[in-house]
Amino acid sequence: MTTEPVRTAPPLAAVPAYTASELLAVMSARLLKDGQTVFAGVGIPLLAAILAQKTHAPGLTILFEGGVIGPFVEAGKLPPSTNEQRCTRRANMLVSITEVLLMLQRGYVDVGFMGGAQIDRFGNLNSSFIGDADNPKIRLPGTGGGNDIASLADMIVAMKHEKRRFVEKVDFITSPGFVDGSDSRARAGLPAGGMFRVVTDLGIMGFDEATKAMTVVALHPGVTPQAIKDNTGFELPVPADVAVTEVPGDVELAILRELDPARLYTA
Amino acid sequence: MTTEPVRTAPPLAAVPAYTASELLAVMSARLLKDGQTVFAGVGIPLLAAILAQKTHAPGLTILFEGGVIGPFVEAGKLPPSTNEQRCTRRANMLVSITEVLLMLQRGYVDVGFMGGAQIDRFGNLNSSFIGDADNPKIRLPGTGGGNDIASLADMIVAMKHEKRRFVEKVDFITSPGFVDGSDSRARAGLPAGGMFRVVTDLGIMGFDEATKAMTVVALHPGVTPQAIKDNTGFELPVPADVAVTEVPGDVELAILRELDPARLYTA
Amino acid sequence: MTQSYLDLRQKTRERDRSLRDKVMSLEEAAKLVPDGASVALGGCTASRTPMAMLWALIRARKTGLTVSRSIMSTEGDLLYASGLSRHIITSWFSQGIVWGVSKVMRAYTESHRATFEEWSHMAMGLRYRAGAMGVPFMPMRSMMGSGVVDRAPGARTMECPFTGETLLLVPALNPDVALIHVQRCDAYGNAQLDGLSFMDIDIAMAANRVILTTERIVSNDQIRRHPDQTKIGFFTVDAVVEVPFGSAPHECYGLYEPFYSHMDLYAQMTAKDPDKGAAEYLERFHYEPKDWADYLSRIGMAELLDAQRRGSGIYDD
Amino acid sequence: MTQSYLDLRQKTRERDRSLRDKVMSLEEAAKLVPDGASVALGGCTASRTPMAMLWALIRARKTGLTVSRSIMSTEGDLLYASGLSRHIITSWFSQGIVWGVSKVMRAYTESHRATFEEWSHMAMGLRYRAGAMGVPFMPMRSMMGSGVVDRAPGARTMECPFTGETLLLVPALNPDVALIHVQRCDAYGNAQLDGLSFMDIDIAMAANRVILTTERIVSNDQIRRHPDQTKIGFFTVDAVVEVPFGSAPHECYGLYEPFYSHMDLYAQMTAKDPDKGAAEYLERFHYEPKDWADYLSRIGMAELLDAQRRGSGIYDD
């Protein structure tokens, strides 16, 4: 369990064939490779991981924070959290929460995959406090395993692209990205893992190898460089030759809709 | 698994009704109290623990190093080590070796109970080297869990009383007793546990509260103070009013012989 | 905060750890939890929550507990609202992702009426594990570089003497009392868990007193037939209470899933005015029922049957 | 000795950890163990010893291994005598209490032809556990005050920053290869253990390569029916070899007890002239047999049937 669900508004770019959440799920799924091990939160991350399993990555292994390794979630029975029995459907192995998190620490996980409420230029995530931590405007649910996953794995974050969510500096670092940039993450005691990709309804972001600042890797169809900059609270570079993603395919969308017929996560 | 088996000669005191090993087992069993938790090695310790269960301590809980909690060993099927399936007969719980030793560290065990090859004035035990450790005359099997048990529990040791086994200073401290006496054990990093009783075929020894040196608590019937001193390689005080133990009873002996019909441990 | 080894050993030594009948009522077990105690809860989020025991403690008007759990769901709200605890130590605290951020948690923490002390999920696990192992800390490799570590009392970095790396040491958590709900155990407290074990095994080992609630009490003979299935040993357990549906409206693996309609009802009741809503909820479901069966009746028979049907479905092909 | 975190992560990253068929022969699996590797053995004393895999390594004339195990029995003798390993790390080393001190161990160590590095049993467990957890050490509370700690490479005391107590830190053990024998696993390496698990779960997590031998390969479907029984996960496993009676003449819980007559034969053969006796034993039971079935035949059918009858008896009333 990592952050609050991504409850998105209709997509900015006028492509009525899919919702913003479906776009997020499809784009995220495509980043996962066959044979990888992915530690997934519920919501978009889980949907994306199952979608990848059912398309190009049948050998993808999913881990849940509740202590679940290699489950096959049933269509229409998405678990409400990563810590309940629905997560364990046809799993290969169940262990304690502490053990599954230690597998991450031991290095058995390739990708950590979670949603995000607030992110900054260096990929730090906040799911604890809006405003000052000692006197917050909003007390959020907190880290869960988010901090552990972000500290120990290569991260994919799926979230809605809004100026208030993409901020210069997060109010509070719940889950560390590259901390203050360059080698500050390793210096803080986190030599492994780090932000790999941020997937939004506008595009896909990566991080500069030297400065570790966020940069655009690809834009979704119909999204202009200016549009993504306008929806970001910090200077977000868009390379001149930026790639454009392929629109979600019919098969991908059909699978998503079968998985979540009640549209709990994809509305 | 702690030390080599106690293979004793006929008892010094002429009481032909029982062997020295049987005497050891009976005297040790009587030291165990109902409701206690005892971490037992195979051989005399196990026999004594089962004997206690079947007489005055039906609620005695036995732990084995193999990861066994609360077993009921069957007569005639004594396990050859504490790490094999016979140890698990009708057990309440099986855990890993590391877990069962951690239960000891956590403080759930009242009494550690093992055999001994060589002991000194301060109750230190050697089961590693006879002679110099770098160039030993005999390389013994080593500590197993003996060191852990002796470091973390109140100890009962059952062994044969011979001058070459009761030495001024052990060749090597495998399992610490009171180290150099007085508070040296605690200062070494072992604030809990320590030697409680040493049971031999001649008597029962305890340790002086201040100096932590071995002293006689009781003599077995027919054993003189001089006899026990003669068989000890260091100055062993015998109080003037030293107690005398009661001879093994018929019921106790009958139970032992039923448990070990092949006389593997009681010959 | 971290207990010295001799203190910890002394507390354990004083416990009656023998194989003996420990069966009692919820009300009797509640007396084993003194006001002000530090209490750890088994389960996680809406799964195997020791709801019946908390229900009994709320009814007994206990106060001042410090309560820790891997992840807190609605029971955390009820702890705050009832006054049972105003200090919660956990890694995530809200009803559940589908219901959004807890309004009750927000109301109490944002007004400084209560504290939510946040640790990473692994840190919670390793704090219990250190307590279970009888050592004062565990080394770990997360939380560093975050704001979480700065606010986590007692966490400290060290330079590893073997590798020179920076590690975080988190202090052992040895709660005064652990409350754990299981599918089955015997009268002595040998508990066998199905499915997800969460942090319960470490919590039981770490605590200085353990109260088990169980769906069913089974014979010791049944336990002994599969000793490798015993996950909590009798010697750590001080009380055994049989309470069918003892996690309701949360789930108990293999037996019932969460009572979703009731969970929705709770979310609705607390959405607008969290203080008033939680108070009403407590009145209706905690203080007024004459017993646990009455509590379940108020949640509703249809709800119960539905949760049970879904719960047992995990074993279907 | 202690691997840096980045080294350890890199080794793990390079492994193919996906859900894939890993079934191979003993001979193929032997190729996964390079000369000079550090190797950990599952099981304990005469229980679930990975005897068939060691048998294959001896036949493949591998050399220079550093071998660790919780407790070593006759397989330790054979490691020394075959030259497979001359450096053994363990807590206790001899055939078994009823057979007294191992003559072969004595002959090799007292003549300085081989090393027996001694740690306490808990230290062995915690070294594997640190390795399994991905941290460079574990704190513990034994070994101090003894001669064992002085001779244990890397063990060091620290003053606890929380309590001021003296603790011992033991370094993580992350073996290059782990050899583990189990009752059953699937083709991917999901292993379910019955009875005593010893240190196998931690060893599998700690190692940089895992070779499973198994009494039976079962379907992945069978594993998934009881995922809470899976004790070693496929993602840690690199090879799966089906070898019935793969621990003979040692035991495999619930299937066969030790082959006692053969264990007595071994003790007799090595009693007088340990060097010559062990060499003869290796010739007759390791080098000469044309395959594993021939090895078992030489131990004897009557022995096998007797061990099996006693082994399955653990489940009788």
Side-chain angles (χ1 to χ4, degrees), chain A:
Chain A
M1 184 165 290
T2 53
T3 64
E4 51 174 354
V6 180
R7 295 188 190 269
T8 49
L12 294 176
V15 189
Y18 44 85
T19 66
S21 298
E22 286 172 336
L23 179 65
L24 272 178
V26 169
M27 293 301 168
S28 305
R30 291 178 184 169
L31 292 176
L32 301 172
K33 296 191 184 76
D34 198 22
Q36 279 185 328
T37 302
V38 56
F39 206 108
V42 293
I44 298 294
L46 172 56
L47 275 175
I50 302 172
L51 175 57
Q53 266 184 349
K54 289 183 181 281
T55 52
H56 64 283
L60 188 79
T61 297
I62 298 172
L63 270 72
F64 289 135
E65 195 168 331
V68 185
I69 294 145
F72 284 97
V73 174
E74 279 181 290
K77 288 196 178 177
L78 293 174
S81 80
T82 57
N83 315 305
E84 283 161 57
Q85 70 171 34
R86 283 189 184 185
C87 296
T88 70
R89 186 74 189 168
R90 297 200 72 236
N92 282 274
M93 187 179 192
L94 303 183
V95 296
S96 76
I97 289 172
T98 309
E99 291 310 324
V100 82
L101 291 167
L102 287 171
M103 287 173 185
L104 191 70
Q105 181 166 279
R106 175 63 182 79
Y108 285 115
V109 178
D110 294 298
V111 176
F113 188 4
M114 59 167 94
Q118 191 186 54
I119 194 167
D120 68 18
R121 179 195 295 273
F122 294 118
N124 301 301
L125 294 163
N126 176 19
S127 58
S128 297
F129 302 97
I130 299 298
D132 176 52
D134 285 324
N135 208 10
K137 219 172 76 186
I138 304 177
R139 184 40 159 129
L140 294 170
T143 162
N147 176 288
D148 305 309
I149 300 169
S151 298
L152 297 164
D154 292 343
M155 288 293 297
I156 300 175
V157 173
M159 61 189 288
K160 196 171 175 204
H161 210 130
E162 294 176 350
K163 208 161 191 159
R164 66 183 184 98
R165 293 177 183 272
F166 280 70
V167 297
E168 178 68 36
K169 200 167 169 43
V170 286
D171 293 347
F172 184 84
I173 301 183
T174 304
S175 302
F178 292 110
V179 191
D180 299 318
S182 66
D183 65 344
S184 60
R185 177 184 166 95
R187 276 190 288 107
L190 307 175
M195 280 289 148
F196 171 61
R197 290 289 181 268
V198 179
V199 182
T200 72
D201 46 339
L202 299 184
I204 299 176
M205 273 57 67
F207 292 84
D208 182 86
E209 215 171 303
T211 66
K212 304 295 185 190
M214 198 186 293
T215 171
V216 175
V217 168
L219 295 171
H220 296 324
V223 178
T224 63
Q226 196 53 48
I228 204 164
K229 283 170 183 282
D230 287 349
N231 283 281
T232 303
F234 52 87
E235 174 60 35
L236 179 66
V238 183
D241 60 343
V242 67
V244 175
T245 60
E246 248 180 82
V247 292
D250 292 345
V251 172
E252 291 168 317
L253 292 170
I255 292 170
L256 283 180
R257 287 162 194 177
E258 195 196 332
L259 283 173
D260 186 16
R263 295 280 180 131
L264 284 174
Y265 302 103
T266 53

Side-chain angles (χ1 to χ4, degrees), chain C residues 122-271:
Chain C
M122 188 163 74
M124 289 302 301
L126 292 177
R127 293 192 64 194
Y128 290 132
R129 179 153 295 180
M133 293 172 66
V135 288
F137 65 82
M138 274 286 113
M140 60 180 277
R141 297 188 186 275
S142 66
M143 290 233 293
M144 294 175 285
S146 76
V148 181
V149 76
D150 300 329
R151 299 175 69 83
R156 60 173 76 209
T157 55
M158 85 176 282
E159 188 183 299
C160 173
F162 297 95
T163 61
E165 295 159 355
T166 305
L167 298 170
L168 189 73
L169 307 186
V170 292
L173 190 45
N174 288 104
D176 296 328
V177 188
L179 313 180
I180 299 174
H181 184 69
V182 301
Q183 285 94 353
R184 63 186 175 282
C185 69
D186 66 18
Y188 310 137
N190 287 302
Q192 300 189 335
L193 304 176
D194 296 322
L196 298 165
S197 63
F198 305 117
M199 299 180 179
D200 295 15
I201 297 168
D202 285 329
I203 288 173
M205 286 289 294
N208 288 312
R209 179 173 287 169
V210 176
I211 299 174
L212 288 187
T213 53
T214 180
E215 295 286 330
R216 269 182 334 127
I217 295 175
V218 299
S219 73
N220 183 248
D221 273 345
Q222 179 171 336
I223 294 292
R224 288 178 192 269
R225 250 173 255 137
H226 299 286
D228 53 1
Q229 297 306 302
T230 307
K231 301 303 173 192
I232 296 172
F234 69 91
F235 54 94
T236 64
V237 175
D238 302 88
V240 170
V241 187
E242 189 177 85
V243 198
F245 295 92
S247 286
H250 292 180
E251 79 168 22
C252 185
Y253 194 101
L255 298 174
Y256 47 93
E257 279 198 352
F259 294 50
Y260 287 124
S261 305
H262 186 79
M263 295 286 275
D264 286 340
L265 170 71
Y266 173 81
Q268 284 157 26
M269 284 180 72
T270 53

Side-chain angles (χ1 to χ4, degrees), chain B residues 34-37 59 61 69-72 88-95 99 102-110 151-154 191-193, chain C residues 5-6 8-9 12-13 15 17-19 131-135 174 190 204-208 220-221 223-224 227-228 230-236:
Chain B
D34 197 23
Q36 279 186 327
T37 302
T61 297
I69 294 144
F72 285 97
T88 70
R89 186 74 189 168
R90 297 202 72 238
N92 283 274
M93 185 180 193
L94 302 183
V95 297
E99 290 311 323
L102 287 171
M103 287 173 186
L104 192 69
Q105 180 166 279
R106 175 63 181 77
Y108 285 114
V109 178
D110 294 297
S151 297
L152 297 164
D154 293 342
Chain C
Y5 190 49
L6 285 177
L8 191 64
R9 292 282 303 230
T12 308
R13 180 175 280 264
R15 293 163 72 182
R17 284 163 278 116
S18 66
L19 197 73
M133 293 172 66
V135 288
N174 288 104
N190 287 302
M205 286 289 294
N208 288 312
N220 183 248
D221 273 345
I223 294 292
R224 288 178 192 269
D228 53 1
T230 307
K231 301 303 173 192
I232 296 172
F234 69 91
F235 54 94
T236 64

